[in-house]
Amino acid sequence: MLTDNEIKIIKASTPALAEYGEQITGRFYQILLEKNPELKNIFNMTNQKSGNQKHALAMAVYAFSKYVDDLSVILGDVERIAQKHASLGIKAEHYPLVGSALLEAIEEILNPGEEVISAWASGYGVLANVFIEREKALYEENAKKEGGWLDTRDFTIVKMHQETPLITSFYLQPSDQGTVAAYTAGQYISVHLHPEGQEYQQIRQYSLSGAFDQKGYRISVKKELNAQGEGLVSNYLHDQYKVGDTLKVTPPCGEFVLQESTNPAVLISGGVGITPMQAMLETLTQQAQPRDIHFIHGNQNQQHQAFKTELDSLVTQGKVKAHCFYQETTAEGEHKGMIDLQKISDSLPAGAEYYICGPLAMMKAVYQQLKTLQIADDKIHYEVFGPNKSLA
């Protein structure tokens, strides 16, 4: 437990963290990885180069300082991070290393004095224990469930299917031919691999892109092509792996899941953000009690929309109502441009739950549109690929 004085000191740090947060977290990662280079086997070094990781951590540290006297406010963020940590294999022994580097960075950038550093040491200890206990529970839960396991398990690629020019689906089944753990639509798995020519292991999370079929998992990976260095692993998977090859996989994790509800569901995605939505869509349409389902998707054109044939079939069967927005379109019945909920607001069902996944800019735009439509935050669920960022 923190003392009243420690809480007061940490909260008083909030303005400084708002101003210097990214400097602190940037220096933190430098210290941490210089002193513990083995952690490069866990951290996504591409996100390190892009600055995404330090931005996400700065937001988390800032939120902790702001709500240190009422951590219930950030429980959703804590759960999201704990799920990600469990998929990466973060263990209790890593937390002292992180704490030491963080305190050193705070002292170096802010030079706030011994009393402030001491308060932050206590605060970090409280937060670390929250994560350690939650992640321990997740590891135990994943290991004990039917078909579950701890750490990584070998899965064989039994099928590969090209969904679009850039997206390929990999169908994975346990190499030991044992049972496989069930998952909730919206969750992801981590793939651990070591590309040729790279000094360290690479870990990436990929959404499970189909309803659970008791046989294995499907991930649908976009071959990233950009100047920020992203795409090391996705290109390696596309170019080097084939049917019969083996991948090391962690148990399904993630808190962005299809809620148990009978309310209408509106699934909104952009680009490769369609992957968890496809799992949700397949799961919803297989339920015994049919629900009012709306599928909204934005993309460059039909050619780049994964699972288009499957969606068209479900629409024809009357199981789902679809609205597709394309930047390039000439077909009748399609919407031109970015996703615009105002254009289809009359068809959106009352009392619906909304799920969003896609590029950050698209998600922020959709979130603002939902707020304009007076949709409450507790009805909006979302996932950001990569380091967590807020849509508000």
Side-chain angles (χ1 to χ4, degrees):
M1 294 289 293
L2 296 174
T3 67
D4 290 343
N5 189 53
E6 287 171 335
I7 290 173
K8 180 180 178 181
I9 290 171
I10 292 172
K11 286 186 72 70
S13 305
T14 302
L17 291 172
E19 184 173 355
Y20 298 103
E22 289 198 34
Q23 281 185 246
I24 293 170
T25 55
R27 182 60 183 138
F28 154 75
Y29 280 115
Q30 290 176 349
I31 295 169
L32 180 67
L33 297 175
E34 285 171 2
K35 292 185 175 181
N36 309 280
E38 71 279 3
L39 294 181
K40 293 180 181 179
N41 287 304
I42 297 176
F43 285 93
N44 184 327
M45 300 311 294
T46 298
N47 285 333
Q48 290 292 313
K49 293 177 183 177
S50 69
N52 288 335
Q53 198 72 61
K54 71 175 182 179
H55 176 75
L57 179 59
M59 289 175 59
V61 173
Y62 172 82
F64 174 72
S65 70
K66 185 175 181 179
Y67 300 111
V68 65
D69 55 343
D70 184 10
L71 293 180
S72 64
V73 176
I74 60 172
L75 283 181
D77 291 330
V78 169
E79 179 65 15
R80 186 176 299 114
I81 294 169
Q83 291 278 350
K84 182 64 69 71
H85 284 179
S87 79
L88 292 171
I90 301 293
K91 299 294 174 59
E93 56 264 30
H94 293 130
Y95 281 91
L97 306 178
V98 170
S100 175
L102 181 60
L103 293 175
E104 185 174 338
I106 291 174
E107 187 167 22
E108 184 177 312
I109 301 299
L110 297 181
N111 191 25
E114 185 176 339
E115 187 179 28
V116 174
I117 292 298
S118 177
W120 267 97
S122 298
Y124 175 80
V126 169
L127 188 60
N129 284 333
V130 170
F131 280 116
I132 289 169
E133 291 303 313
R134 179 56 185 143
E135 288 154 20
K136 178 183 176 182
L138 288 171
Y139 288 129
E140 292 177 352
E141 178 184 327
N142 286 333
K144 290 179 179 179
K145 68 169 56 173
E146 183 179 0
W149 69 95
L150 186 64
D151 297 324
T152 63
R153 182 180 180 186
D154 286 349
F155 275 68
T156 301
I157 301 172
V158 297
K159 178 183 175 182
M160 294 172 62
H161 177 71
Q162 188 170 3
E163 306 288 353
T164 76
L166 293 178
I167 298 176
T168 295
S169 287
F170 295 77
Y171 292 75
L172 312 174
Q173 292 184 3
S175 300
D176 59 14
Q177 299 183 336
T179 56
V180 62
Y183 59 87
T184 304
Q187 290 191 302
Y188 53 81
I189 56 174
S190 282
V191 173
H192 295 226
L193 47 78
H194 200 144
E196 293 179 13
Q198 295 297 312
E199 185 176 0
Y200 296 100
Q201 170 185 257
Q202 303 290 321
I203 306 175
R204 296 293 186 274
Q205 286 84 30
Y206 294 108
S207 297
L208 294 156
S209 61
F212 180 59
D213 64 2
Q214 301 185 344
K215 297 177 182 178
Y217 302 143
R218 181 178 73 184
I219 57 174
S220 302
V221 181
K222 180 184 178 184
K223 189 173 186 178
E224 296 289 350
L225 305 168
N226 61 49
Q228 285 72 48
E230 297 176 350
L232 170 65
V233 173
S234 66
N235 278 269
Y236 194 71
L237 280 171
H238 277 252
D239 298 339
Q240 302 298 325
Y241 279 80
K242 60 185 183 301
V243 171
D245 287 344
T246 300
L247 289 172
K248 292 188 176 299
V249 171
T250 61
C253 290
E255 91 301 334
F256 173 66
V257 295
L258 192 62
Q259 304 295 302
E260 291 186 10
S261 171
T262 57
N263 293 333
V266 180
L267 312 179
I268 309 175
S269 59
V272 75
I274 198 171
T275 51
M277 299 307 180
Q278 185 65 20
M280 292 183 182
L281 179 62
E282 291 182 11
T283 301
L284 285 167
T285 55
Q286 292 174 14
Q287 290 178 344
Q289 292 292 330
R291 289 168 66 178
D292 189 6
I293 308 167
H294 293 248
F295 196 88
I296 301 169
H297 183 69
N299 218 316
Q300 179 181 345
N301 51 41
Q302 284 193 17
Q303 184 186 18
H304 285 83
Q305 180 175 337
F307 315 114
K308 181 72 167 60
T309 300
E310 292 89 332
L311 178 62
D312 290 344
S313 176
L314 291 172
V315 170
T316 300
Q317 296 173 53
K319 293 184 176 182
V320 61
K321 302 175 184 68
H323 302 275
C324 294
F325 292 77
Y326 301 115
Q327 296 176 44
E328 305 167 4
T329 181
T330 56
E332 184 178 351
E334 295 175 357
H335 299 284
K336 174 75 172 178
M338 310 295 284
I339 292 175
D340 185 350
L341 299 183
Q342 290 290 346
K343 291 183 178 180
I344 57 173
S345 59
D346 290 345
S347 66
L348 296 177
E353 293 170 348
Y354 292 81
Y355 299 83
I356 319 171
C357 189
L360 184 61
M362 162 261 167
M363 293 177 64
K364 286 186 172 182
V366 168
Y367 175 80
Q368 292 303 322
Q369 292 175 39
L370 290 174
K371 299 312 295 179
T372 299
L373 294 172
Q374 300 184 331
I375 305 301
D377 278 335
D378 63 357
K379 296 294 184 181
I380 303 173
H381 313 279
Y382 66 89
E383 178 171 59
V384 177
F385 289 163
N388 183 53
K389 297 176 182 176
S390 172
L391 299 191

